[in-house]
Amino acid sequence: DVKVTQSSRYLVKRTGEKVFLECVQDMDHENMFWYRQDPGLGLRLIYFSYDVKMKEKGDIPEGYSVSREKKERFSLILESASTNQTSMYLCASSFDRGTYEQYFGPGTRLTVT
Amino acid sequence: AQSVTQPDIHITVSEGASLELRCNYSYGATPYLFWYVQSPGQGLQLLLKYFSGDTLVQGIKGFEAEFKRSQSSFNLRKPSVHWSDAAEYFCAVGDFNKFYFGSGTKLNVKP
């Protein structure tokens, strides 16, 4: 079974803090994704990566950056957290290029106060 | 531009009743279509997918979906709902590496 894990299920941070969200997958997938999920808006893609050290912006990259130093690990960074970044963050991974199903982690619910 | 519409935000059905969740998409080519389910506090789990071929696809947990190109729809169905099906359901269109998700439909199941 594919397993995608995220470092925290719940996180509370203060405005202006630097926040790291970690995601690890164990299936040697090339592609990894970060989404945020907000009520009524579905999932919106923040960034994705199709290879180590490669990244591409998604639909809402502002205020976020990412890092992929190893194939199995994809980190989302909030350089200076703001209250409008309070959300559920979901990581996903998939096989090589092409439209393959994505496998999701359990999510991190981030609250910025 | 690609987009996915799930017109029903909330649906309530009685246990044992049939279910249909609607999904309409906008896409310029042959779509890759997916349905995911999200239980409270959990990530998304793939229910089924359509890439090509038979337009009626079977998934896990007794779900099926039918692709109708003429209506740009990919509706999810289940003949008899169980209380454990209460969750949020997301339809998605895949475009190479990017997925476009609908806003979700929350399913409540009455005993």
Side-chain angles (χ1 to χ4, degrees), chain A residues 9 31 33 35 37 40-43 45 48 50 59 90 97-102 104-106, chain B residues 32 34 36 38 41-44 46 49 51 88 90 94-103:
Chain A
R9 294 299 302 273
N31 301 326
F33 308 82
Y35 295 90
Q37 181 181 14
L41 297 178
L43 278 72
L45 181 65
F48 70 99
Y50 53 87
D59 300 315
L90 292 167
R97 289 179 175 265
T99 308
Y100 296 98
E101 58 263 39
Q102 296 186 7
F104 284 82
Chain B
Y32 293 81
F34 305 81
Y36 283 85
Q38 184 180 34
Q42 303 296 316
L44 276 67
L46 180 70
K49 61 190 177 188
F51 284 1
E88 191 161 17
F90 292 92
D95 177 15
F96 204 58
N97 282 326
K98 295 183 72 172
F99 275 35
Y100 297 87
F101 286 86
S103 54

Side-chain angles (χ1 to χ4, degrees), chain B residues 23-39:
Chain B
C23 172
N24 293 97
Y25 66 88
S26 173
Y27 191 73
T30 301
Y32 293 81
L33 296 161
F34 305 81
W35 273 101
Y36 283 85
V37 61
Q38 184 180 34
S39 298

Side-chain angles (χ1 to χ4, degrees), chain B residues 36-110:
Chain B
Y36 283 85
V37 61
Q38 184 180 34
S39 298
Q42 303 296 316
L44 276 67
Q45 180 185 19
L46 180 70
L47 281 177
L48 47 78
K49 61 190 177 188
Y50 171 78
F51 284 1
S52 64
D54 193 346
T55 56
L56 185 63
V57 293
Q58 303 296 321
I60 63 170
K61 305 185 181 189
F63 285 91
E64 66 178 25
E66 186 171 13
F67 169 59
K68 293 186 177 179
R69 184 187 301 276
S70 61
Q71 298 176 20
S72 297
S73 70
F74 188 56
N75 294 348
L76 182 71
R77 301 194 295 244
K78 187 169 184 178
S80 178
V81 169
H82 188 262
W83 63 266
S84 60
D85 293 324
E88 191 161 17
Y89 292 80
F90 292 92
C91 181
V93 167
D95 177 15
F96 204 58
N97 282 326
K98 295 183 72 172
F99 275 35
Y100 297 87
F101 286 86
S103 54
T105 298
K106 277 192 178 170
L107 173 66
N108 294 320
V109 180
K110 290 191 301 186

Side-chain angles (χ1 to χ4, degrees), chain A residues 34-36 44-47 57-61 64 76 89:
Chain A
W34 275 107
Y35 295 90
R36 66 175 283 175
R44 293 179 291 167
L45 181 65
I46 304 171
Y47 269 96
K57 293 180 180 179
D59 300 315
I60 52 164
Y64 303 95
L76 180 70
Y89 290 87

